[in-house]
Amino acid sequence: MSRIEATNDFVVKFANVNGSGSASANELFARAILRMGVPVSPRNIFPSNIQGLPTWYEVRVCEAGWLGRRGGVDLMVAMNPQTWAQDVAEIQPGGYLFYDSTRPMSADAFRPDIHVIGMPATAICNATYDVPRERTLFKNILVLGALSELMGIEAAVIEGLFAEQYKGKERLLDSNVRALHAGREFARDHLSAQPFGLQVQRADAVGDKIFLEGNAATALGCIYGGATVCAWYPITPSSSVAEAFEKYAAKFRTDPATGEKRVAIVQAEDEIASIGIITGAGWNGARAFTCTSGPGVSLMTEFLGLAYFAEIPFVVVDVQRGGPSTGMPTRTQQADLLASAYASHGDTQHVLLLPEDPRECFEFAADALDLAERLQTPVFLMSDLDIGMNQRLCAPLAWDDARRYDRGKVMTAEQLDAGTPFARYRDVDGDGIPWRTLPGTHASKGAYFTRGTTRNEQAVYSERGDDYVRNVERLRAKFATAALIVPQPLVRAAAQKTRLGVLYFGSTAPAMDEALAALSGAGIHIDAMRLRAYPFAPVVAEFIAAHDAVFVVEQNRDAQMRRLLVNELEVAPARLIKVLHFDGTPITARFITDAITRHVHALATAPRSAA
């Protein structure tokens, strides 16, 4: 039987029960490999409950640096009898199954084309520990020890991680170290006779990259961007944005002399209240944001309409998930694009920023606060569960203490005293953005009463058709201005001239990077553009026009990005070919490669030189 042999390039998946304490041990596995200089990309796949249901943790180990999901599993650590059949089915032929062999399994439970490694982990822990909770927790460390021995992961590296985790808790440190070495000793004594083909060797492929979650990076970006008001209602998978913001605010938004907090963080009674709070804060001149997911956006739409027409700045962090309510809250998708772009009643269009990783979550969160004030409008930061709740390697965050906030067109008391004309909703220079004043700016000048209904340029209530038309046309002009100042798309030219293109965005990027390399290696050359914002910059239409066929890769059922492109750019739909992934798991490089290859062959469109 063939055996997968790979060094620093494989996929391991842990199948556990939620609430069993496996998460900590699984993360130690990933971090230990990272500390040995080998890039990893771990992903939690967990249920929407507290404990008892299946949970998985998938680790991509790749010295070449690919960070997207590859597809397929080389080693399955199957510790959950409930999901045994589906877990075993995922293993690549020639791959490995590691399982708890305390209870005998029938021969038909195993596949003939995989290599099976059994360790009686439960029996060992029952004989070693008296406390039931310790038996459960240390079983995970015992398994970690055995795997580290089999795969060449250095014990000293894991011990160093223990020392950091249990600093000042020596009893816990010692017990974890003992369990680790017990697992290693078992592997040496009982498992080493069977060759194990997946190995970790020290490398220097991580460089200066950092390892963090997108939600934490978003929260820190809001701090960096000057946010002083956060109002939120708990919802998976966005809650940790607010929790991290509170943690960072304690450090960066507290007066060191008095201990006074310089931030307002409000857990509201629902999503409607949370966006109402930030609407008021934005009108008063504070930089404010809320964090939510698709169901929250649905509830926020009326306030979004008010803020759009009254031109009140704030930021909505939408950590997208798969589908509504129970069943899919802990699955990832890119399925809120249309709901967010056109949220609310009437003719509304909202700015969307589309980060690819935690670094861009940090940068775009700060940028979103600037854009919201410069454009005087709500701005959405469109993250998703895959970015937000998983740790990802990325370039270091760039913090500039000299950064200055872009407050946009805010008229001062000095300008008003000097006789500068003020009309709240008048476009004075053609960019669609009027001047505003903040409450309390002047005792007698610059005040106005705003509302979401129709008014004239002086903010006076009006039901005249020409006032309404003038206002909404100006808002459209402002949206055109936004297309020029949002993060611009990034283009990657193929190695050869080609009439094929691909558009992609957000968390699809890591898998897309690898897929492009694989397609090129197979002779399919494609120019690529990563979209980073909506409204679309003019170069997006130019990119589409320069190619005969353009694939649009996205993680939703309804091709929502493709619909936006067709609607906004009036592109012929036939030119945009859908590549859709929407089962709730992050898209894989293999899925993209296979889908595009099939399309190219079906179209009989071999890449050819441009005329």
Side-chain angles (χ1 to χ4, degrees), residues 428-443:
V428 297
D429 52 14
D431 63 0
I433 306 169
W435 284 81
R436 64 176 175 140
T437 57
L438 301 180
T441 295
H442 197 284

Side-chain angles (χ1 to χ4, degrees), residues 382-591:
M382 305 296 291
S383 179
D384 61 32
L385 186 148
D386 186 29
I387 301 173
M389 295 192 70
N390 288 312
Q391 293 172 316
R392 188 77 59 81
L393 273 177
C394 65
L397 309 183
W399 187 290
D400 182 4
D401 286 328
R403 180 186 177 100
R404 294 292 178 265
Y405 306 142
D406 186 349
R407 303 304 303 266
K409 296 178 180 177
V410 180
M411 195 166 289
T412 65
E414 291 76 16
Q415 290 172 302
L416 292 167
D417 279 334
T420 304
F422 174 70
R424 175 62 184 98
Y425 296 109
R426 177 178 297 158
D427 180 6
V428 297
D429 52 14
D431 63 0
I433 306 169
W435 284 81
R436 64 176 175 140
T437 57
L438 301 180
T441 295
H442 197 284
S444 60
K445 300 177 182 178
Y448 64 95
F449 180 80
T450 192
R451 67 194 88 211
T453 51
T454 308
R455 65 273 165 150
N456 63 20
E457 292 179 334
Q458 286 76 31
V460 176
Y461 177 77
S462 169
E463 294 187 17
R464 290 172 55 91
D466 57 343
D467 283 334
Y468 178 81
V469 169
R470 183 184 303 110
N471 195 53
V472 296
E473 289 288 7
R474 180 183 56 76
L475 289 170
R476 179 154 59 183
K478 180 167 68 172
F479 203 65
T481 297
L484 304 177
I485 62 175
V486 295
Q488 299 296 288
L490 300 180
V491 178
R492 184 189 314 175
Q496 299 180 16
K497 287 187 177 181
T498 177
R499 300 298 295 179
L500 294 175
V502 63
L503 296 169
Y504 63 101
F505 61 96
S507 63
T508 301
M512 192 72 231
D513 292 342
E514 186 176 2
L516 287 169
L519 289 164
S520 179
I524 300 176
H525 300 285
I526 304 177
D527 294 329
M529 172 179 279
R530 178 164 70 87
L531 302 172
R532 301 201 298 165
Y534 164 82
F536 304 118
V539 293
V540 178
E542 295 167 6
F543 180 88
I544 295 171
H547 298 88
D548 293 337
V550 177
F551 300 99
V552 183
V553 183
E554 49 189 313
Q555 298 180 68
N556 58 69
R557 184 199 69 178
D558 293 340
Q560 293 186 27
M561 180 60 76
R562 179 177 178 271
R563 290 189 182 192
L564 271 178
L565 291 162
V566 170
N567 190 47
E568 298 293 327
L569 303 180
E570 299 184 352
V571 179
R575 300 188 62 167
L576 301 179
I577 302 172
K578 295 178 282 189
V579 177
L580 306 175
H581 184 275
F582 48 89
D583 67 0
T585 63
I587 196 168
T588 69
R590 290 180 178 178
F591 177 89

Side-chain angles (χ1 to χ4, degrees), residues 220-343:
L220 189 57
C222 288
I223 292 284
Y224 182 52
T228 57
V229 176
C230 168
W232 65 296
Y233 181 77
I235 181 172
T236 303
S238 71
S239 296
S240 57
V241 175
E243 293 162 358
F245 182 78
E246 184 173 15
K247 179 185 72 173
Y248 292 130
K251 180 177 181 180
F252 296 106
R253 289 282 182 269
T254 301
D255 189 313
T258 66
E260 181 182 358
K261 295 185 183 299
R262 295 172 171 172
V263 65
I265 302 172
V266 183
Q267 182 177 324
E269 62 266 33
D270 54 33
E271 288 89 350
I272 300 172
S274 66
I275 196 169
I277 290 167
I278 66 167
T279 301
W283 180 75
N284 274 283
R287 290 199 155 193
F289 77 96
T290 187
C291 51
T292 190
S293 193
V297 173
S298 298
L299 292 171
M300 294 175 177
T301 53
E302 187 167 6
F303 267 112
L304 284 164
L306 169 64
Y308 175 81
F309 284 106
E311 298 178 70
I312 299 171
F314 57 69
V315 171
V316 177
V317 177
D318 181 357
V319 188
Q320 299 170 91
R321 68 190 204 183
S325 192
T326 54
M328 292 294 280
T330 56
R331 302 294 184 259
T332 193
Q333 282 190 11
Q334 298 171 321
D336 294 348
L337 299 177
L338 292 175
S340 299
Y342 301 129

